[in-house]
Amino acid sequence: MDELIFFINRVLISGTVLGSIYALGAIGVTLIFGILRFAHFAHGDMMTMGAFVAFVLSAMLAALGIVTPLPSGFVVLPVAMVITAILALGIDRGFYAPLRRRGAKPVTLLIASIGVTLMIQGLLRLIFGSGTRSFFAAEPKDIFRIDMSWVGGSRPISITEPQLIMFVVTAMIVVALHFFLTRSRLGKAMRAMADNADLAQVSGINTALVVRVTWIIAGSLACVAGTMLALDVALMPDLAFNIVLPIFAAAIVGGLGHAYGAIVGGFLIAFAETLAVFNWTAVLRPLNSVLPETMALPANLALVPTEYKLTVAFVILVITLLVRPTGIFKGAST
Amino acid sequence: MTAAAVSNRRGWDTPLARGLMLFAAMFVLVVITGVVQGSASILLILVQATAFALVALGLNIQWGYGGLFNFAIMGFMMVGGASTVFLSYPVNMAFWESDGPMMLGRALGAFLIGLALVLLARRADRIGITGKWKTALVALAWFVGYIIYRTQIDPAAAYIESTAGFVGGLGLHPVLGWAFGGLVAAVIAFFVGKISLGLRTDYLAIATIGISEIIRALIKNMDWLTRGTMTVSPMPWPTPLPQELQAMGFSIADSFVGARIFFLILAVVILVVAFFFVQRAYGGPWGRMMRAIRDNHVAASSMGKNVTGRQLELFIFGSILMGVGGGILATFTQIFDPSGYQPINHTFMIWVMVIVGGAGNNWGVVLGAFLIYIVWVISDPLAQLIFLNLSVLTESLGWGAIPEIDSRALQMRVFVLGVVITVALRYAPKGLIPEVVKREGR
């Protein structure tokens, strides 16, 4: 029983956490690609930016002496989302819109997004320094331990409070996004434009509005993903820059341009990573009593050494690009 | 552009005059930096800028000539550095006298067995296994091959790391190491290009950046071969080191200047040779064909050009220069540190150099490389100066001084790089010295 609990703790919970973060980031990447037709490299830094916005807000709450029952990072999340969405709109107006007006190629926009990446990262380091910060400097991080002795386990299933809230928030966002895309006029317009931008324009869809809504959604989801990542680990200026590639991998595996594909891809990549570095000996140890002495399991039976965890995502990415570049759900391309 | 507009732009704004002016301006910038920071410091900057110019020329072959979107520059530079370490670092006798070579030999054997399995599985259609079953068999062969290799390499790596530290080098001349770096980069580029050049722009960018991260993870964690995060130093120089010049009676300050001048001469010679060939290739039929492919690959392929084959050539040639440049940089800094390689410094900065200089124009790219590298280096002290002054202001206003000015100023480099590229894309998308497009009848 302990082996199963270990598996739940190390694979199910951490895989779901990582999957939620990847999925929320990948939805933004995929929407921007679907509507604006370029790979937005600065998305990771938009996540970091959102996390820092939430951090500043929660620091302000703490300075005002307000104590909240939930971790303050979650309490300020709606406001942080609005601010990040406004910042995302500003970035588009300042850097991408002029290039689009001139009819620049998607490649130019991609390079411009790298410029934006560098500027956001430079500014964040300028203002906050390059050190690591934590949302939980002032308040403790609650850890729930679910006692499993009733099924014969000696260790509890442990899950932290941010992780638990994270699952709820992700589920809520995914459901809300689903209803937005399938029921509202604007959501339908977005899907139409992702399918065929020219056709959408001649059939009277306000493309400028759709572009704005895309940035608002992408920005606010980036804020959620960044803040959750920062709550789960720690906050630093290169927080999400390092995971922008797995996020792209998730978006591509799911099929660029498909919001649902991004969610599936996010969880797929996250679980592939988690399972690849999982030490199977910990689960299979009971076999040692059955197996002969010479075939005893080694101390570490992971498919991939832990140092190569991120490499798993890149390998999946490269294989997907080669075998099925359009992803699981047939995605768009430039 | 109409004929009248072209004739109006004659006078001072010909490409040649423009290029000469920009190079003169850069020369002035170099002299000013030299006067402010001292000659040893500007020589250091120039040697590194020369190596980066070589890498930028490599990217120009790929992107400027062929429109290939390579974001794996960091990976190729790391490969160049690691190969130079392997060839030029002194021989590690502790390794050669241990069981290490034999264990590595067994790992190589296991690798070859795995390779043979995969190759056999790929020919499974010969015995009637086709379609999905063949795919499954190939995947299984990969998996089994990987397991076989892991069973041999893991103990070998652990043994070498615990006894001899790492494999060490072969003790050959560093220039040979650079050439070897170019060669290894070319071999890797062949495989990378072979599998990924069929992808379109955005996908190619993402795939190559993923490959570059895989290469980084490998070099960083294969401690037995590259020493990983423990870093390798000191790397031998091809030219006399400052210490050797001191032994010959130079003063300490002069010895650094002298040693760097020797190194700079060697690096510039390599750059000039590479530039000559790259420029010749551009003007010749080969370059013309490449531009035809870049501008309209559908038309070029219908004219009977082998598009993927030609693009693979470009990819390999460009990567050779990146490998050599990476080797020169590692030798010059005398330390090979896998953690020191960052996409920002080693991939994005090169892209900024090429875009700002003028993709497709070799003169522009070399200018861009020197200019951006100098801007990159001096934006740190410049930002420090600004912050120190601002700090005085904020203190007098009673807001307190700015904390951690040193580290903050260092981060300004990244910001300045971002500003430079966005401004360049908006106001000079073709670069400072744009490619000269010659058409018949103009």
Side-chain angles (χ1 to χ4, degrees):
Chain A
M1 199 59 221
D2 278 350
E3 287 76 20
L4 185 67
I5 293 169
F6 188 74
F7 185 80
I8 291 173
N9 279 340
R10 299 296 294 270
V11 174
L12 276 187
I13 292 178
S14 60
T16 316
V17 169
L18 203 59
S20 312
I21 292 162
Y22 285 176
L24 290 178
I27 292 172
V29 165
T30 231
L31 284 181
I32 294 172
F33 193 93
I35 306 286
L36 299 159
R37 304 274 150 181
F38 78 103
H40 186 229
F41 255 96
H43 205 77
D45 293 280
M46 229 150 83
M47 285 167 65
T48 318
M49 188 172 75
F52 271 103
V53 170
F55 180 77
V56 169
L57 288 176
S58 84
M60 276 161 64
L61 270 194
L64 291 174
I66 300 171
V67 179
T68 51
L70 292 173
S72 57
F74 279 105
V75 177
V76 298
L77 200 53
V79 186
M81 281 165 75
V82 172
I83 296 176
T84 316
I86 294 170
L87 288 174
L89 281 174
I91 288 173
D92 180 56
R93 176 153 300 175
F95 301 110
Y96 304 132
L99 293 176
R100 269 205 308 278
R101 264 202 301 279
R102 217 180 51 205
K105 282 187 272 184
V107 173
T108 315
L109 283 164
L110 199 163
I111 299 172
S113 80
I114 284 174
V116 172
T117 301
L118 299 176
M119 285 167 70
I120 297 179
Q121 233 178 75
L123 275 182
L124 286 179
R125 289 179 187 204
L126 179 69
I127 300 169
F128 297 100
S130 44
T132 306
R133 287 148 196 278
S134 169
F135 271 94
F136 296 95
E139 48 185 347
K141 196 188 235 179
D142 288 339
I143 299 176
F144 301 117
R145 293 194 174 79
I146 305 167
D147 187 35
M148 295 306 282
S149 54
W150 55 280
V151 283
S154 59
R155 277 187 294 179
I157 292 177
S158 54
I159 181 169
T160 64
E161 190 182 7
Q163 287 174 336
L164 207 61
I165 306 174
M166 192 180 295
F167 299 152
V168 177
V169 171
T170 310
M172 271 162 45
I173 286 175
V174 168
V175 170
L177 194 72
H178 170 76
F179 281 114
F180 172 73
L181 287 176
T182 50
R183 302 289 159 83
S184 76
R185 261 182 85 80
L186 212 52
K188 285 179 189 165
M190 277 179 73
R191 286 195 300 158
M193 202 169 152
D195 272 349
N196 189 333
D198 295 332
L199 194 62
Q201 194 156 21
V202 295
S203 53
I205 288 173
N206 183 351
T207 47
L209 180 68
V210 171
V211 168
R212 275 205 295 279
V213 172
T214 307
W215 281 108
I216 290 172
I217 295 178
S220 47
L221 291 194
C223 174
V224 178
T227 310
M228 295 200 316
L229 188 60
L231 282 167
D232 194 39
V233 278
L235 186 58
M236 47 206 158
D238 55 357
L239 174 76
F241 180 66
N242 296 324
I243 65 158
V244 73
L245 282 171
I247 285 175
F248 266 101
I252 289 173
V253 168
L256 274 177
H258 279 257
Y260 305 117
I263 299 167
V264 174
F267 282 99
L268 201 83
I269 298 276
F271 275 102
E273 273 183 17
T274 322
L275 283 172
V277 298
F278 181 66
N279 183 4
W280 288 96
T281 305
V283 173
L284 302 174
R285 193 168 288 129
L287 282 180
N288 268 346
S289 55
V290 188
L291 290 171
E293 197 89 346
T294 48
M295 287 188 49
L297 293 166
N300 190 352
L301 197 69
L303 197 55
V304 177
T306 322
E307 308 93 85
Y308 295 104
K309 186 175 180 190
L310 275 181
T311 317
V312 175
F314 306 143
V315 171
I316 296 177
L317 166 73
V318 173
I319 292 175
T320 317
L321 281 171
L322 301 176
V323 178
R324 199 183 162 91
T326 46
I328 302 170
F329 300 86
K330 211 167 169 342
S333 71
T334 45
Chain B
M1 198 180 293
T2 61
V6 170
S7 63
N8 279 344
R9 290 189 58 192
R10 295 254 164 80
W12 68 272
D13 198 16
T14 62
L16 181 70
R18 196 183 166 132
L20 282 177
M21 255 170 53
L22 285 165
F23 268 96
M26 194 190 68
F27 184 73
V28 172
L29 186 66
V30 169
V31 170
I32 293 174
T33 319
V35 170
V36 174
Q37 298 209 339
S39 44
S41 168
I42 188 69
L43 282 168
L44 176 107
I45 296 173
L46 283 178
V47 174
Q48 284 172 338
T50 310
F52 275 113
L54 206 58
V55 178
L57 270 186
L59 179 62
N60 194 34
I61 298 180
Q62 297 174 340
W63 167 244
Y65 290 15
L68 296 178
F69 225 64
N70 181 10
F71 267 95
I73 303 169
M74 180 187 76
F76 289 118
M77 288 177 73
M78 281 187 93
V79 165
S83 311
T84 308
V85 170
F86 180 68
L87 221 68
S88 71
Y89 196 74
V91 180
N92 181 4
M93 286 320 285
F95 164 73
W96 292 104
E97 284 163 2
S98 70
D99 289 338
M102 200 201 38
M103 293 177 85
L104 278 186
R106 278 212 299 269
L108 182 68
F111 177 77
L112 291 177
I113 291 172
L115 196 68
L117 275 180
V118 173
L119 291 179
L120 281 177
R122 289 181 59 158
R123 313 268 310 253
D125 47 322
R126 294 283 184 92
I127 54 167
I129 303 172
T130 50
K132 282 219 167 91
W133 287 106
K134 188 188 156 194
T135 317
L137 194 67
V138 172
L140 184 71
W142 272 104
F143 185 72
V144 173
Y146 174 74
I147 300 282
I148 294 175
Y149 174 66
R150 278 285 303 278
T151 57
Q152 294 303 315
I153 193 70
D154 281 359
Y159 174 79
I160 295 169
E161 280 162 26
S162 64
T163 54
F166 81 127
V167 170
L170 299 178
L172 298 174
H173 195 270
V175 174
L176 280 179
W178 301 346
F180 185 62
L183 183 74
V184 178
V187 171
I188 292 176
F190 173 78
F191 289 106
V192 171
K194 198 86 184 153
I195 57 175
S196 59
L197 279 184
L199 300 168
R200 275 155 311 194
T201 48
D202 298 48
Y203 287 113
L204 183 61
I206 297 166
T208 44
I209 209 167
I211 289 169
S212 142
E213 290 297 324
I214 293 174
I215 294 176
R216 174 159 75 159
L218 286 174
I219 293 182
K220 204 167 169 176
N221 292 310
M222 290 206 301
D223 283 13
W224 58 274
L225 182 63
T226 62
R227 221 174 194 187
T229 45
M230 289 191 288
T231 73
V232 184
S233 67
M235 302 262 286
W237 268 27
T239 49
L241 278 165
Q243 291 83 337
E244 291 164 29
L245 290 180
Q246 281 164 34
M248 282 157 68
F250 284 83
S251 73
I252 291 181
D254 284 349
S255 73
F256 273 93
V257 172
R260 283 171 186 172
I261 285 179
F262 284 131
F263 200 110
L264 180 64
I265 291 171
L266 181 64
V268 167
V269 166
I270 294 175
L271 178 66
V272 168
V273 171
F275 187 91
F276 175 75
F277 283 115
V278 171
Q279 186 72 1
R280 279 292 294 267
Y282 182 82
W286 186 82
R288 217 154 43 228
M289 172 174 64
M290 292 308 170
R291 293 197 296 282
I293 293 175
R294 175 192 67 189
D295 294 340
N296 190 341
H297 66 94
V298 179
S301 93
S302 69
M303 296 298 282
K305 304 295 178 207
N306 178 0
V307 173
T308 12
R310 293 286 93 79
Q311 289 186 335
L312 191 60
E313 270 176 19
L314 286 175
F315 198 70
I316 293 174
F317 288 156
S319 304
I320 292 176
L321 292 185
M322 292 172 187
V324 173
I328 293 178
L329 272 180
T331 301
F332 180 69
T333 49
Q334 287 203 291
I335 181 166
F336 179 70
D337 175 15
S339 320
Y341 288 82
Q342 296 292 335
I344 289 179
N345 309 5
H346 293 89
T347 298
F348 297 161
M349 188 165 78
I350 316 280
W351 269 92
V352 179
M353 288 169 176
V354 170
I355 302 279
V356 170
N361 187 324
N362 292 315
W363 292 104
V365 166
V366 171
L367 174 85
F370 278 85
L371 201 65
I372 295 296
Y373 193 70
I374 292 171
V375 167
W376 167 260
V377 173
I378 63 174
S379 50
D380 169 24
L382 222 55
Q384 240 179 66
L385 202 70
I386 295 171
F387 283 148
L388 281 174
N389 285 321
L390 267 182
S391 190
V392 172
L393 182 75
T394 52
E395 248 183 343
S396 67
L397 287 174
W399 296 348
I402 301 177
E404 303 170 60
I405 287 181
D406 283 5
S407 81
R408 275 163 213 258
L410 195 65
Q411 307 303 342
M412 278 304 283
R413 290 170 162 190
V414 177
F415 179 73
V416 170
L417 210 58
V419 173
V420 168
I421 189 145
T422 40
V423 168
L425 281 177
R426 187 133 169 215
Y427 298 105
K430 293 206 182 315
L432 290 173
I433 312 183
E435 185 182 8
V436 185
V437 182
K438 284 195 187 118
R439 299 237 188 274
E440 294 299 318
R442 276 237 177 133

